[in-house]
Amino acid sequence: QDEELFIPVISKGFQHQFWQAVNQGAEQAAEEFGVRVTFEGPDNESQVDKQMDMLAAALANNPDAIGFAALDSQAAIPLLRQAQEAGVPVVAFDSGVDSDIPVATAATDNKAAAAMAADKMAELIGGSGQVAVVAHDQTSRTGVDRRDGFVDRMEAEYPDVEIVAVEYGGGDHLRSTEITRALLAAHPDLDGIFGTNEGSAIGVVNGVRESGQEGITIVGYDSGKAQTDAIREGLMAGAITQNPVGIGYETVRAAVAAARGEEVEGDIDTGFYWYDQSNIDDQEIQAVLYD
Amino acid sequence: MTAVDTTTAPRPSRRGTAHQKLLAFASLIALVIGFSLASPNFFQVSNIMAILQATSVNGVLAIGATLIIITGGIDLSIGTLMTFCAVMTGVVLTWLGAPLIFGVVAAIGTGALSGLVSGTFVAKMKIPPFIATLGMMLILKGLSLVVTGTRPIYFNDTPGFDLISRGSLIGWVLPGFPVPNGVLILFLVAGFAAWILSRTVLGRYTFALGSNEEAVRLSGVNADAWKMAIYALSGAIVGIGGLLIASRLNSAQPALGLGYELEAIAAVVIGGTSLAGGRGTILGTLIGALIMAVLTNGLRVLSVAPEWQTVVTGGIIIVAVYADQLRRGKT
Amino acid sequence: MTAVDTTTAPRPSRRGTAHQKLLAFASLIALVIGFSLASPNFFQVSNIMAILQATSVNGVLAIGATLIIITGGIDLSIGTLMTFCAVMTGVVLTWLGAPLIFGVVAAIGTGALSGLVSGTFVAKMKIPPFIATLGMMLILKGLSLVVTGTRPIYFNDTPGFDLISRGSLIGWVLPGFPVPNGVLILFLVAGFAAWILSRTVLGRYTFALGSNEEAVRLSGVNADAWKMAIYALSGAIVGIGGLLIASRLNSAQPALGLGYELEAIAAVVIGGTSLAGGRGTILGTLIGALIMAVLTNGLRVLSVAPEWQTVVTGGIIIVAVYADQLRRGKT
Amino acid sequence: MRHSSLGGGAMTRLVRMEGIDKVFPGVKALDAVDFDLLAGEVHALMGENGAGKSTLMKCLSGVYQPDGGRILIDGKPVSLPTPRSAQDQGIGIIHQELALMRDLTVAQNIWIGREPRKSFGRLDEAKLNADAAAIFDGMNVKMDPRTPVSSLTIARQQMVEIAKALSYRSRVLIMDEPTAALNDTEIAELFAIIRRLRSEGVGIIYISHKMDEIRQISDRVTVMRDGTYVDTVAAADTPIERIIAMMVGREIQHSDIAIPDLSGAETALEVIDVSRGAELKNISFDLKQGEILGFAGLMGAGRTELARAIFGAEPIDRGEIRVHGKPVRIASPSDAVRKGIGYLSEDRKQFGLALGLDVRANIGLPSMGRHSDRMGRINEGKLSEVARSYIDMLRIRTPHDAQEVRLLSGGNQQKVVIAKWLLRDCDILIFDEPTRGIDVGAKAEIYRLLADLAKRGKAIIVISSELPEVLRVSHRIAVMCEGRLTGILPGGARQEEIVALATKREGKTAA
Ligand SMILES: Nc1ncnc2c1ncn2[C@@H]1O[C@H](COP(=O)(O)OP(=O)(O)OP(=O)(O)O)[C@@H](O)[C@H]1O
Ligand SMILES: Nc1ncnc2c1ncn2[C@@H]1O[C@H](COP(=O)(O)OP(=O)(O)OP(=O)(O)O)[C@@H](O)[C@H]1O
Ligand SMILES: [Mg+2]
Ligand SMILES: [Mg+2]
């Protein structure tokens, strides 16, 4: 290992806090293992082909291993195969890649996490009532999984809870705010709203705050200062957080190991957590929050 | 018979501007009535306030766009400039801890400066506005991320900042009429822009440049300088939009803004301003922005499936502009 | 000396179109050399192929956009139309299980039809192209989601579909020269479009409409019909782009496409086509698309931070067009 | 011979241009041209289309920078880098190509750049309109200063340009073909204004292709040919023929019209009771093959409207049009051309030319079908060949057939429009102001050409605001007034008869 290892990390985005936290974890690991890491991702989670171009450019740089969060794993297979042929190990992260090419996967089970949000929501509104979802994306893997995880669990376990609407704000804070206000107008008896990522959740908080309506239970996803503040203030009941820093760290750690020809663990579950006013200051939770 | 007589030939009735505004207004009213009939939840004070609030940012951006479009230009950097102005406000207020008013100055100043840069590209370097502002759109988008380190800046330490858009001065004076300040600011900006356009030299040159730039130049006017001034003014107005969105989100979100420019331009054109330049009104733009906001809100209140919302919005934009064409008797 | 003599005055060098292309080409070469010096990994066969592959979709879209822009129009629906065409291919091939060729027909046919609709809006209903295609952009975006039920359609059951873009016919004939079929198709489309523009009546009218539509109409030409034909042709070309992207991703991704139109238009303008209409070349557009692809790829290979990539791209778009203006001696 | 007899007098010399050169890509537009202007004189600048008149004046008004030579004002060399700097030197210009802002009102156009202001950059709209009204009063023209320019006809726009130029109160006033779009009464008004300015000591440079005007108004005449200075002469003691000879450098053949016997000719076009709104009222006439029907009338009489209606460019409310005896429905210009009707518009810039395209493409525009194969491939060689033949025939001054039309002089652009309709070879041709901006030599050619076309059996309508022109070419003369056809006179009618019909209002007889 005389030469510094080079590990490009291709994520699903870079502008969101979540991805920045992943980046942070990756950089932590890079420093620890003395490798060089680059981090990039497309502007939004629909740009499947842009991600392909990024992967192609990364491969051109003769990397020692690659971290990759596939927007669409099927579409990526030819390039992944190319990596495999070139002897470049691939570590999948965030959501998995439906293929045996990646040597390891560091991911959150988004569906299970969203199902947990549904459980909490149902509990908080007393097992019955009307609930709406402000999702961040209608087609991306994370958007679909979180929506479905939430909706399916509600339908399966809580027959008295009605999902009255699912709207998509693209993770844009302002659009999600606008959506929330329309939802509040359209459903005067609404009890709770689930925002499926940081931007959506903050938008929901904003919209509810602006409308001045009381008694809406808000459940969020991911962290960021606005969400933790809202939870402390009591505006938001609680949220699911993943462990983005851990994801980034584990991805790079596995990549380094694979590049050095060491044994790596195939499935690295980085976990998810529910946090609310009661546990937000716990050390375990604080470790996975970012702002 | 002298030449004088020939000029008294029957003249075609001027195509009434009053009439024009009436029609855009009619579309708006039709939409409102339609949605009200379709859902009892639509025409409620709180929802109307939501719609007005939703109009505020896009409305201000659209007013900025109107100025540029009347000169015959276009501005694709509106959305990301808005964000960049919000970011600069955050830098000044949160990072430097300066008093509120400096944040306002920072937003408007950043907007004006960036507008001036775009204006220089267009006027001095003769880069087509579409490209100059496309480039600016990317530059500003990147800069927002660079400056913030891709992290939002929160205004929690600046008390009162969120009141800029959310408070209600009017509601304070006239309880029961809780018009948010954001909307008040929209109308103030609209009034100011309308005044500039109709009463000042700058406004005159805005129309003149859009009508025939070469003629303006041949008349000995320093066309470049005036054009740059218009771009700077438009940028300053976009800066106010940045202030409004920052206040509404109580934070500067660096990744926001892409796509807002098309919404603003759509509002402008629905309001009857010609993309060819030389013609347009602020009142029309306001109505256009309201139409967009009512449409978006109404479709959501009706719980139309999101993908169909997109389709219907696209269709209505086309229909609204077509109605405008029909009225002008172009087809 | 009679007036007749003056018409045979020494023939000046025609304001060199050759020269023009040379300059845009020079920018391209400069970029390539710069990146090659900056990183040894840039100028490698595999990376060059990656760049060419990345050019193929945007290049085809940009060629479609070139036709519209020469008529003095603009097409914002390119990106979402590309996606819609890919989706319709998916419907035909995967859902209906039709043979490959029908997928190709579906993509091109959908594109042509949609182009015809846009063309009708513009030519017959006199809706400004910016707005007509903005509406179409939203409509098509929504329709792609509606048709697919927001899920991608995979082409796993259509063997050979991915070869449309990924295979290499050239590499098969000339091993060691593995130019992907996508690139081959790009060049075929470019050749065809260039032929249309320079040699056919349709091409002549494309330029004429962009130069002075009213004069074309008053020359007894059925301007509306020709314009619609151009929009349909452009749509068909975008359909080929849809085919290419579907083949590259071996799937039809219904949410893709927004924003691609601006990239395509940027390529067109960098290539020297005037947004005012009446002037432009396909070769220029090709070079413009290559410049964009080299730039994006090169910055990535250099591991420039993504936010700075955006800033630099914006800056280079402006500089490239400014260089073009300087050469034309406009400033 | 360079210095005119007037030059040495007591009058002050306002402008002196010495050895001015100007080169455009492919064209040496000016080659060492000298010119001078005295206070209180009208100095006519003459030359064929493309001789360089407009270019010289653009150098004097700060639009172009000369490549060589110098300009002296009041004897002092000056540089005029911008239109503004020329204005500051007291030089005003009416450009040949109208340069108005269509979306602004008349008054706003006139005062652009010099708006009366109140505090805070606010406009004083009332003063603006009042000042504009005062200028029109002084011109004896009735015009509402609040009218948007876009609703004015070309002639009215020309009036606005003149008013604008006057508003500068310049010491030097350049008029580049100000009368090209005006009728006789308006020209008379303009001349009155010019004479008044001259008496006030203003120096006026006057460009026109109308020879009779030169006689009437100018003191000295400078002639240019092919970008070079030819001579400056006193107008009073130089016969027009001499000036023409200096301009063209060759003889011009005049041919008098012979009115053919068309009794046996087939009727090509019948217009029956065509009406639209207030613009066209119950118009009926017919036109035979081989006939040239002139249309006379005052500005706004509705001749252009009628032509556009026949051509399908504008709808008609009522009435019928028959071509070769068959009733036809013409809903668009393409219908009209298919039926064999061609229309040459009076406004070449807006309606006649694709300025960004080359000469060849413009000439070929209506005839693409005939120069392409079934697959739509253009036969470039053939097209270029015919384009060149028309360039020669009409003496279009262009370096080659691939020159952008926008770079040609105004008159040469007009010839391109003519060429395009000649090439289309329609049976029925409507020429609206075909010689606007065209020099004497070329005019004669065009008159001959019209006669030739008629001889070959074409049916031709010529709309012209120049009575001598109508009289010169027409076999019959139709006269319109306020949207009505007030009468059709035989060729060779007297001018007074035409004027009487042109002013014959509804319900009254001519004043
Ligand atoms: N910008 C330009 N670029 C190239 N050539 C030009 C340009 N402007 C004028 N020319 C050429 O210069 C010559 C002189 O043109 P100019 O307009 O001065 O003629 P003119 O005497 O005013 O003719 P007309 O009587 O037709 O108006 C013409 O051959 C014309 O084609
Ligand atoms: N002085 C005027 N003021 C306002 N409108 C006018 C005036 N003159 C003409 N028009 C408009 O133009 C119409 C007819 O003009 P048209 O161009 O057909 O006349 P023309 O006989 O061709 O005269 P010319 O082309 O010389 O102006 C009128 O019915 C009127 O609508
Ligand atoms: Mg001239
Ligand atoms: Mg006329």
Side-chain angles (χ1 to χ4, degrees):
Chain A
Q1 282 100 47
D2 317 319
E3 221 176 302
E4 188 183 50
L5 292 180
F6 172 51
I7 303 172
V9 176
I10 313 288
S11 94
K12 293 181 182 178
F14 75 101
Q15 300 171 3
H16 287 299
Q17 285 311 290
F18 178 83
W19 298 116
Q20 283 299 317
V22 173
N23 184 11
Q24 204 184 315
E27 273 167 7
Q28 253 174 41
E31 206 163 305
E32 189 175 320
F33 300 110
V35 300
R36 190 161 71 90
V37 163
T38 59
F39 188 91
E40 69 176 323
D43 282 344
N44 64 60
E45 297 191 13
S46 61
Q47 298 184 329
V48 181
D49 64 321
K50 296 266 138 88
Q51 202 189 32
M52 297 299 98
D53 291 338
M54 289 176 183
L55 193 53
L59 285 172
N61 264 342
N62 301 319
D64 298 290
I66 282 183
F68 182 58
L71 287 173
D72 184 298
S73 46
Q74 290 210 35
I77 284 176
L79 273 172
L80 291 179
R81 215 170 273 144
Q82 195 181 320
Q84 193 180 30
E85 278 157 20
V88 179
V90 176
V91 176
F93 67 98
D94 189 55
S95 46
V97 173
D98 299 329
S99 146
D100 51 5
I101 296 173
V103 295
T105 300
T108 312
D109 187 342
N110 277 300
K111 263 195 161 151
M116 183 177 188
D119 291 335
K120 296 287 183 187
M121 174 70 87
E123 186 189 317
L124 286 162
I125 63 173
S128 76
Q130 293 187 345
V131 168
V133 178
V134 177
H136 67 278
D137 203 303
Q138 199 171 5
T139 54
S140 77
R141 180 85 183 255
T142 53
V144 170
D145 281 355
R146 289 177 203 172
R147 176 196 67 198
D148 290 351
F150 187 86
V151 172
D152 292 351
R153 173 64 62 94
M154 276 298 180
E155 280 169 1
E157 305 279 334
Y158 308 99
D160 294 338
V161 177
E162 187 195 352
I163 307 265
V164 291
V166 180
E167 293 279 348
Y168 303 88
D172 177 308
H173 306 65
L174 187 64
R175 284 201 181 114
S176 305
T177 305
E178 248 60 283
I179 286 174
T180 304
R181 297 202 65 178
L183 285 174
L184 292 174
H187 309 286
D189 301 325
L190 201 63
D191 295 295
I193 306 177
F194 173 46
T196 65
N197 78 345
E198 190 192 343
S200 312
I202 296 174
V204 172
V205 169
N206 251 327
V208 172
R209 198 201 310 256
E210 275 185 12
S211 74
Q213 207 151 322
E214 311 256 313
I216 304 286
T217 301
I218 305 170
V219 169
Y221 204 109
D222 293 338
S223 48
K225 186 166 163 49
Q227 265 192 104
T228 51
D229 282 357
I231 287 174
R232 285 183 212 278
E233 279 173 47
L235 257 165
M236 182 181 268
I240 300 286
T241 182
Q242 312 173 64
N243 181 4
V245 180
I247 292 177
Y249 181 87
E250 293 297 335
T251 304
V252 172
R253 194 174 64 89
V256 170
R260 291 179 178 157
E262 296 162 11
E263 190 72 18
V264 287
E265 182 190 351
D267 267 317
I268 311 162
D269 188 354
T270 50
F272 54 86
Y273 311 84
W274 166 260
Y275 67 106
D276 56 18
Q277 253 174 1
S278 69
N279 69 349
I280 190 164
D281 291 317
D282 291 0
Q283 223 168 12
E284 181 200 31
I285 294 297
Q286 276 297 316
V288 293
L289 294 185
Y290 55 85
D291 51 34
Chain B
M1 165 173 190
T2 71
V4 177
D5 287 324
T6 65
T7 64
T8 54
R11 243 202 303 128
S13 69
R14 284 206 212 160
R15 291 147 166 187
T17 24
H19 181 213
Q20 161 175 353
K21 280 161 208 161
L22 221 76
L23 193 122
F25 200 62
S27 310
L28 176 60
I29 298 297
L31 272 181
V32 170
I33 291 179
F35 282 126
S36 302
L37 293 178
S39 163
N41 298 323
F42 178 80
F43 205 77
Q44 302 290 335
V45 174
S46 69
N47 197 44
I48 298 301
M49 288 304 145
I51 291 173
L52 286 176
Q53 182 80 279
T55 314
S56 63
V57 174
N58 187 37
V60 168
L61 298 186
I63 290 169
T66 306
L67 297 181
I68 304 291
I69 292 176
I70 293 177
T71 69
I74 194 138
D75 191 349
L76 298 180
S77 69
I78 294 172
T80 55
L81 174 57
M82 166 195 81
T83 296
F84 188 62
C85 293
V87 164
M88 292 315 287
T89 306
V91 168
V92 167
L93 292 185
T94 302
W95 294 3
L96 306 184
L100 192 59
I101 184 70
F102 286 96
V104 176
V105 172
I108 298 178
T110 306
L113 206 72
S114 161
L116 198 65
V117 172
S118 297
T120 309
F121 288 157
V122 173
K124 290 280 177 208
M125 294 163 64
K126 310 288 174 226
I127 300 174
F130 193 98
I131 287 299
T133 59
L134 177 64
M136 282 301 278
M137 165 207 224
L138 294 174
I139 291 175
L140 292 168
K141 179 183 160 199
L143 284 184
S144 292
L145 294 168
V146 168
V147 169
T148 57
T150 70
R151 257 185 301 280
I153 305 180
Y154 296 98
F155 293 100
N156 295 341
D157 303 333
T158 313
F161 185 74
D162 62 333
L163 294 183
I164 291 180
S165 138
R166 284 188 196 148
S168 176
L169 220 63
I170 296 185
W172 188 65
V173 178
L174 299 171
F177 207 61
V179 178
N181 287 345
V183 179
L184 182 65
I185 292 176
L186 167 64
F187 284 109
L188 289 178
V189 170
F192 174 70
W195 179 78
I196 291 275
L197 278 183
S198 62
R199 297 264 177 274
T200 70
V201 177
L202 183 62
R204 176 64 36 85
Y205 294 150
T206 309
F207 285 102
L209 284 168
S211 195
N212 187 344
E213 184 170 336
E214 199 46 36
V216 175
R217 226 175 278 280
L218 288 178
S219 303
V221 177
N222 190 341
D224 292 351
W226 286 103
K227 201 185 244 187
M228 284 159 65
I230 296 161
Y231 274 79
L233 175 62
S234 163
I237 291 176
V238 172
I240 296 178
L243 206 60
L244 284 182
I245 197 170
S247 159
R248 265 194 94 185
L249 302 175
N250 206 23
S251 59
Q253 300 286 345
L256 224 66
L258 219 61
Y260 285 53
E261 62 286 345
L262 291 184
E263 235 166 280
I265 294 169
V268 175
V269 180
I270 290 177
T273 293
S274 157
L275 281 170
R279 211 145 28 80
T281 62
I282 296 295
L283 182 55
T285 296
L286 270 188
I287 294 173
L290 274 169
I291 288 179
M292 297 281 289
V294 165
L295 190 61
T296 318
N297 175 286
L299 291 172
R300 281 176 189 150
V301 168
L302 292 189
S303 301
V304 173
E307 54 271 35
W308 281 109
Q309 288 181 20
T310 319
V311 175
V312 172
T313 307
I316 293 210
I317 288 177
I318 292 178
V319 170
V321 176
Y322 180 51
D324 200 55
Q325 299 292 347
L326 274 188
R327 184 181 45 66
R328 290 210 194 118
K330 278 220 185 150
T331 38
Chain C
M1 163 168 193
T2 71
V4 176
D5 288 14
T6 65
T7 63
T8 54
R11 251 185 118 141
S13 66
R14 291 200 203 165
R15 301 265 253 28
T17 23
H19 179 214
Q20 161 178 353
K21 277 160 210 161
L22 221 76
L23 192 122
F25 200 63
S27 311
L28 177 60
I29 298 297
L31 272 180
V32 169
I33 292 178
F35 282 125
S36 301
L37 293 179
S39 164
N41 298 325
F42 178 80
F43 204 77
Q44 303 292 335
V45 173
S46 72
N47 195 44
I48 298 300
M49 288 306 145
I51 290 173
L52 285 176
Q53 183 76 275
T55 312
S56 65
V57 174
N58 187 37
V60 169
L61 298 187
I63 290 168
T66 307
L67 297 182
I68 304 291
I69 291 176
I70 292 177
T71 69
I74 194 137
D75 192 348
L76 299 180
S77 70
I78 293 171
T80 55
L81 174 57
M82 165 195 84
T83 296
F84 189 61
C85 293
V87 165
M88 292 314 286
T89 307
V91 168
V92 168
L93 292 185
T94 303
W95 294 3
L96 305 182
L100 193 59
I101 183 72
F102 287 96
V104 176
V105 172
I108 298 178
T110 305
L113 207 71
S114 162
L116 199 64
V117 173
S118 297
T120 310
F121 288 157
V122 172
K124 290 282 178 205
M125 294 163 63
K126 310 288 175 225
I127 299 173
F130 192 98
I131 287 296
T133 58
L134 177 65
M136 282 300 278
M137 163 199 200
L138 294 174
I139 291 175
L140 292 166
K141 178 185 162 199
L143 284 183
S144 291
L145 294 169
V146 169
V147 169
T148 57
T150 74
R151 262 179 305 277
I153 305 178
Y154 294 99
F155 292 100
N156 296 338
D157 303 333
T158 313
F161 184 75
D162 63 333
L163 295 182
I164 292 180
S165 141
R166 284 183 195 152
S168 176
L169 219 64
I170 297 183
W172 188 65
V173 179
L174 299 170
F177 206 60
V179 178
N181 288 344
V183 178
L184 183 65
I185 292 177
L186 168 64
F187 284 109
L188 290 178
V189 170
F192 174 69
W195 178 78
I196 291 276
L197 278 183
S198 63
R199 296 265 175 271
T200 70
V201 175
L202 183 63
R204 193 55 45 88
Y205 288 149
T206 307
F207 285 101
L209 284 169
S211 184
N212 185 349
E213 182 169 340
E214 202 46 34
V216 175
R217 211 179 293 279
L218 290 178
S219 296
V221 176
N222 192 339
D224 292 350
W226 286 103
K227 200 184 244 185
M228 284 159 65
I230 296 161
Y231 273 80
L233 175 62
S234 163
I237 291 174
V238 171
I240 296 177
L243 205 61
L244 286 182
I245 198 161
S247 160
R248 249 195 105 186
L249 302 175
N250 205 23
S251 58
Q253 302 281 346
L256 215 70
L258 219 59
Y260 287 51
E261 61 285 345
L262 292 184
E263 237 167 279
I265 295 169
V268 175
V269 181
I270 291 176
T273 293
S274 157
L275 282 171
R279 206 147 33 80
T281 62
I282 296 295
L283 182 55
T285 295
L286 268 188
I287 293 172
L290 274 169
I291 287 178
M292 296 279 289
V294 164
L295 189 60
T296 316
N297 175 285
L299 291 172
R300 279 179 191 145
V301 168
L302 293 189
S303 300
V304 173
E307 54 270 34
W308 280 110
Q309 287 183 21
T310 318
V311 175
V312 173
T313 307
I316 294 211
I317 288 178
I318 291 178
V319 170
V321 175
Y322 180 52
D324 200 55
Q325 298 293 349
L326 274 188
R327 182 183 45 67
R328 289 210 195 118
K330 278 220 186 152
T331 39
Chain D
M1 199 49 213
R2 283 221 158 176
H3 298 284
S4 90
S5 50
L6 274 165
M11 299 168 108
T12 39
R13 175 171 284 135
L14 289 172
V15 174
R16 177 155 190 85
M17 302 176 82
E18 293 175 355
I20 303 291
D21 291 328
K22 180 72 193 172
V23 182
F24 294 115
V27 184
K28 180 135 200 195
L30 297 177
D31 188 359
V33 176
D34 297 340
F35 183 81
D36 73 334
L37 179 70
L38 307 175
E41 77 160 340
V42 175
H43 192 155
L45 185 56
M46 308 286 296
E48 283 184 295
N49 296 134
K53 307 178 294 292
S54 298
T55 305
L56 186 69
M57 291 304 109
K58 283 179 180 170
C59 290
L60 183 55
S61 58
V63 178
Y64 288 158
Q65 301 310 305
D67 296 318
R70 54 182 199 151
I71 299 173
L72 297 96
I73 296 191
D74 298 329
K76 285 186 283 292
V78 293
S79 83
L80 302 167
T82 61
R84 187 54 170 263
S85 59
Q87 282 171 16
D88 292 344
Q89 293 285 351
I91 300 170
I93 180 166
I94 300 170
H95 285 285
Q96 179 176 12
E97 308 295 335
L98 295 171
L100 295 172
M101 290 138 285
R102 296 178 56 79
D103 300 300
L104 268 49
T105 66
V106 168
Q108 291 169 353
N109 263 281
I110 290 174
W111 297 110
I112 188 82
R114 301 163 297 148
E115 293 81 0
R117 301 184 194 186
K118 298 190 277 191
S119 50
F120 305 113
R122 277 178 310 153
L123 297 162
D124 189 343
E125 210 71 24
K127 182 165 174 5
L128 184 99
N129 286 321
D131 289 355
I135 294 179
F136 285 112
D137 282 347
M139 288 167 66
N140 200 13
V141 164
K142 199 164 173 199
M143 173 97 72
D144 180 357
R146 292 179 191 80
T147 316
V149 163
S150 58
S151 70
L152 299 181
T153 57
I154 287 228
R156 307 279 296 164
Q157 292 182 22
Q158 185 70 64
M159 286 298 185
V160 177
E161 284 277 21
I162 293 169
K164 181 176 171 186
L166 292 179
S167 75
Y168 282 99
R169 310 199 159 279
S170 317
R171 293 184 304 147
V172 176
L173 183 54
I174 306 166
M175 297 185 167
D176 195 347
E177 302 198 29
T179 57
L182 300 187
N183 68 13
D184 291 344
T185 26
E186 289 156 334
I187 292 172
E189 293 291 345
L190 177 65
F191 284 2
I193 295 165
I194 291 178
R195 291 199 183 96
R196 199 184 67 219
L197 292 173
R198 172 167 58 185
S199 69
E200 289 166 6
V202 176
I204 292 163
I205 304 173
Y206 188 86
I207 301 176
S208 175
H209 290 292
K210 299 182 181 174
M211 290 312 199
D212 51 328
E213 293 179 355
I214 304 309
R215 250 279 130 62
Q216 283 181 48
I217 197 72
S218 64
D219 302 311
R220 288 194 298 163
V221 178
T222 290
V223 175
M224 292 176 65
R225 186 164 74 227
D226 294 336
T228 59
Y229 173 89
V230 176
D231 202 356
T232 301
V233 295
D237 40 59
T238 315
I240 288 293
E241 289 67 33
R242 175 93 203 288
I243 294 175
I244 293 177
M246 287 196 288
M247 281 168 61
V248 286
R250 69 185 137 82
E251 284 292 305
I252 292 181
Q253 294 142 12
H254 285 281
S255 52
D256 277 328
I257 47 154
I259 297 178
D261 176 19
L262 296 165
S263 49
E266 198 188 308
T267 302
L269 176 74
E270 286 164 87
V271 171
I272 303 164
D273 208 20
V274 162
S275 297
R276 192 193 55 239
E279 285 115 37
L280 298 174
K281 296 173 205 151
N282 307 78
I283 292 174
S284 302
F285 68 91
D286 55 10
L287 175 66
K288 295 198 160 156
Q289 283 189 356
E291 183 180 32
I292 300 178
L293 177 60
F295 266 79
L298 298 173
M299 180 183 79
R303 294 162 299 167
T304 298
E305 299 268 340
L306 176 62
R308 286 174 59 90
I310 295 171
F311 191 58
E314 272 165 53
I316 54 176
D317 294 341
R318 224 153 13 85
E320 191 179 77
I321 291 168
R322 292 188 192 166
V323 174
H324 296 303
K326 278 195 290 289
V328 292
R329 216 187 70 84
I330 297 173
S332 68
S334 62
D335 285 349
V337 172
R338 224 174 295 131
K339 299 276 175 337
I341 305 175
Y343 168 66
L344 179 147
S345 161
E346 62 181 338
D347 185 345
R348 60 175 171 258
K349 222 176 171 182
Q350 230 189 320
F351 300 131
L353 293 166
L355 287 171
L357 297 199
D358 57 25
V359 174
R360 185 205 308 168
N362 270 285
I363 293 179
L365 209 49
S367 329
M368 278 306 170
R370 264 190 271 135
H371 296 94
S372 58
D373 64 15
R374 258 216 220 99
M375 284 182 61
R377 271 181 309 195
I378 297 170
N379 186 339
E380 216 60 67
K382 194 169 135 207
L383 191 58
S384 176
E385 190 181 307
V386 292
R388 281 206 300 273
S389 74
Y390 281 102
I391 288 170
D392 289 349
M393 181 165 113
L394 297 174
R395 298 174 202 274
I396 299 175
R397 193 184 141 104
T398 173
H400 46 76
D401 66 327
Q403 179 82 334
E404 280 179 51
V405 168
R406 142 182 98 80
L407 302 177
L408 301 189
S409 79
N412 282 304
Q413 291 180 358
Q414 183 71 21
K415 292 181 186 174
V416 172
V417 189
I418 294 174
K420 108 177 174 181
W421 285 112
L422 292 182
L423 174 58
R424 185 62 181 80
D425 198 26
C426 295
D427 291 339
I428 302 165
L429 279 164
I430 307 173
F431 290 96
D432 197 351
E433 312 285 359
T435 62
R436 175 167 290 173
I438 282 193
D439 66 50
V440 266
K443 252 185 204 170
E445 314 265 356
I446 286 169
Y447 296 156
R448 242 208 344 263
L449 209 115
L450 289 173
D452 280 355
L453 287 170
K455 246 180 236 140
R456 281 168 38 209
K458 308 277 177 205
I460 295 170
I461 291 174
V462 175
I463 300 171
S464 174
S465 296
E466 286 178 64
L467 269 189
E469 177 165 294
V470 175
L471 289 166
R472 177 89 198 280
V473 300
S474 311
H475 301 158
R476 282 190 301 155
I477 299 166
V479 188
M480 288 184 71
C481 177
E482 294 182 351
R484 287 169 306 116
L485 189 63
T486 46
I488 299 184
L489 300 168
R494 282 179 306 125
Q495 206 144 328
E496 301 78 71
E497 295 176 275
I498 297 175
V499 172
L501 287 174
T503 53
K504 186 175 161 196
R505 310 215 140 158
E506 238 162 336
K508 355 173 193 166
T509 38

